[in-house]
């Protein structure tokens, strides 16, 4: 049995920086990875998809050359070069994480599948490791629901799609949420026919209806077909492709395509971790239950990142690391409940979101002010020829503090941080009204927009 001060399972977004914190404090730490270093974000999530988004954006702008005053002839996409660019970006980051960990004094890197033996021992390969503090950062994978026909047809997930270097003729994307929409626009811009099949009554159902509707309009304007209310999705083999049965309230009962991507949510990597041997509790979907400081029900064991079900983003996983590390090493009292919801949908134009939706504000019953402003009125947007979307925000009528915002439009993923940081400062929105912003930017419009706040209907 090998003894360490700490064991970390998984090299996602929380594990490696936590290993560095332990090692830097002179503690011995073992970090275990069963697959590629860097986990989902680096290998099959943010980095490769945003690299593809960049390629797709370049293709899109090139195909609009005439509007900007240039011509490039036929814009043709070489998928093997697109893939090579993506692979290089992922490999660079994965290698960076691996080299960082392997070069760390006091840190032992082990490759293999980790399984708990007890509440303070973990087996990996033929070894048993022991530590009084164990951190689980095992992330998740694409959920594959037991839908009719799922075992009869080939399908892609966010992982297997990373290996393709060809253009699907007609790509059917099952799932109209964040992952599905990004792939839909990417492949449409590369030249595929694309149909999104969504079971709910609208895309990105957790957003406000006006956001869902505007996103749908943006995607449909590019020729993406959207089929909603597909209550009973089933898959069937067809000559040269796949039929997806819909039982939709609108349109024919099935759509036939060449390839199918399943983008219907995530499932945590917790079923093969031996959690029962350590007595670690999960919810009915397998997410590890944690308290506000990321501790599981077993003293000395923490769960960070997607596997705890308290966030599903790179930044929430990294924030989990910061909370745990500051509490352990700086005697701080950081908590998950201190963080403000924030994320982006990286279609073009992107959606930046923070805090409450309008629906949540309405449900809270508080008195609020609100404003919504079209991107077409923002100078920077029309200079760039990218005027889709809007900026909207809600403010508490008593404290003047910002409750939430959505920026769907050019730069929305960046500009949202202006509002987010004011929310963290717990300052009134009026500080933004007095700030001098840089011209011409999207952010410079925030004071103008906030001056139009009116009672929230
Ligand atoms: C297509 C897609 C696009 C995304 N885009 C974004 C984005 O733009 N922005 C954003 O913030 N988030 C995005 N996300 C989400 C983001 O990738 C994840 O939230 C983030 O990677 C969280 O990672 P994690 O730290 O929980 O663990 P992960 O990154 O999932 O890493 C877990 C690691 O643990 C390893 N592991 C699992 N079980 C074991 C075991 N038993 N033994 C040893 N090792 C094990 C795995 O191999 C893996 O390397 C995206 C996700 C997807 C799928």
């Amino acid at each position: 049995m090998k003894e360490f001060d700490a064991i970390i399972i998984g090299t996602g977004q929380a594990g490696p920086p936590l290993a560095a914190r332990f090692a830097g404090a002179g503690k011995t730490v073992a970090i275990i990875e069963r697959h590629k270093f860097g986990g989902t974000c680096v290998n099959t999530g943010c980095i490769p998809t945003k690299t593809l988004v960049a390629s797709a954006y370049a293709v899109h702008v090139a195909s609009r050359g005439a509007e900007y005053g240039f011509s490039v002839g036929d814009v043709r996409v070489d998928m093997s070069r697109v893939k090579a660019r993506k692979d290089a970006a992922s490999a660079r980051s994965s290698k960076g994480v691996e080299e960082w960990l392997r070069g760390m004094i006091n840190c032992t890197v082990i490759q293999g599948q980790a399984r708990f033996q007890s509440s303070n021992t973990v087996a990996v390969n033929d070894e048993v490791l022991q530590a009084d503090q164990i951190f689980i950062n095992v992330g998740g994978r694409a959920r594959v629901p037991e839908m009719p026909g799922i075992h009869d047809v080939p399908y892609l997930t966010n992982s297997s799609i990373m290996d393709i270097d060809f253009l699907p003729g007609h790509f059917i994307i099952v799932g109209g949420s964040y992952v599905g929409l990004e792939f839909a626009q990417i492949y449409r811009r590369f030249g595929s026919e694309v149909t999104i099949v969504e079971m709910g009554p609208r895309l990105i159902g957790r957003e406000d209806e006006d956001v869902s509707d505007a996103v749908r309009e943006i995607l449909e304007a590019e020729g993406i077909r959207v089929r909603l209310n597909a209550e009973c999705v089933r898959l069937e083999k067809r000559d040269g492709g796949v039929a997806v049965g819909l039982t939709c309230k609108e349109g024919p009962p099935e759509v036939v395509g060449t390839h199918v991507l399943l983008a219907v949510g995530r499932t945590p990597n917790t079923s093969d971790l031996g959690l029962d041997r350590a007595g670690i509790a999960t919810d009915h979907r397998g997410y590890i239950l944690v308290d506000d400081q990321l501790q599981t029900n077993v003293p000395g064991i923490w769960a960070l990142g997607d596997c705890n079900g308290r966030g599903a983003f790179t930044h929430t996983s990294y924030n989990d690391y910061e909370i745990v590390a500051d509490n352990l090493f700086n005697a701080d009292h950081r908590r998950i409940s201190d963080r403000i919801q924030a994320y982006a949908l990286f279609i073009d134009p992107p959606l930046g979101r923070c805090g409450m939706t309008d629906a949540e504000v309405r449900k809270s019953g508080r008195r609020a002010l609100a404003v919504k402003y079209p991107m077409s009125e923002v100078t920077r947007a029309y200079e760039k020829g990218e005027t889709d979307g809007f900026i909207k925000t809600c403010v508490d009528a008593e404290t003047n503090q910002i409750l939430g915002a959505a920026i769907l439009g050019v730069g929305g993923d960046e500009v949202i941080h202006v509002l987010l940081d004011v929310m963290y400062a717990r300052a009134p929105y009026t500080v933004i009204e007095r700030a001098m912003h840089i011209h011409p930017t999207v952010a410079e419009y925030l004071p103008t927009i906030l001056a139009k706040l009116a009672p929230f209907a």
Side-chain angles (χ1 to χ4, degrees), residues 180-233:
L181 299 191
E182 289 179 16
F183 280 117
Q185 192 183 49
I186 288 168
Y187 276 89
R188 179 65 195 143
R189 288 181 167 190
F190 287 158
S192 295
E193 259 189 78
V194 173
T195 303
I196 299 168
V197 173
E198 164 58 42
M199 295 182 191
R202 56 192 174 89
L203 299 177
I204 40 172
R206 96 154 71 134
E207 303 301 333
D208 286 324
E209 268 180 54
D210 56 350
V211 174
S212 290
D213 292 348
V215 165
R216 179 179 175 172
E217 277 167 30
I218 287 165
L219 298 177
E220 286 183 333
E222 292 190 22
I224 295 170
R225 285 191 288 269
V226 178
R227 300 294 309 271
L228 303 173
N229 298 305
E231 295 150 338
C232 198
V233 177

Side-chain angles (χ1 to χ4, degrees), residues 20 23 31 37 95-109:
I31 187 160
F37 286 84
K95 192 166 165 249
V97 173
E98 180 171 4
E99 286 178 355
W100 181 36
L101 290 170
R102 291 199 189 279
M104 229 176 250
I105 294 164
N106 297 328
C107 178
T108 302
V109 177

Side-chain angles (χ1 to χ4, degrees), residues 297-312:
N297 61 311
V298 179
I301 303 181
W302 289 253
L304 301 85
D306 286 12
C307 68
N308 64 28
R310 305 291 289 267

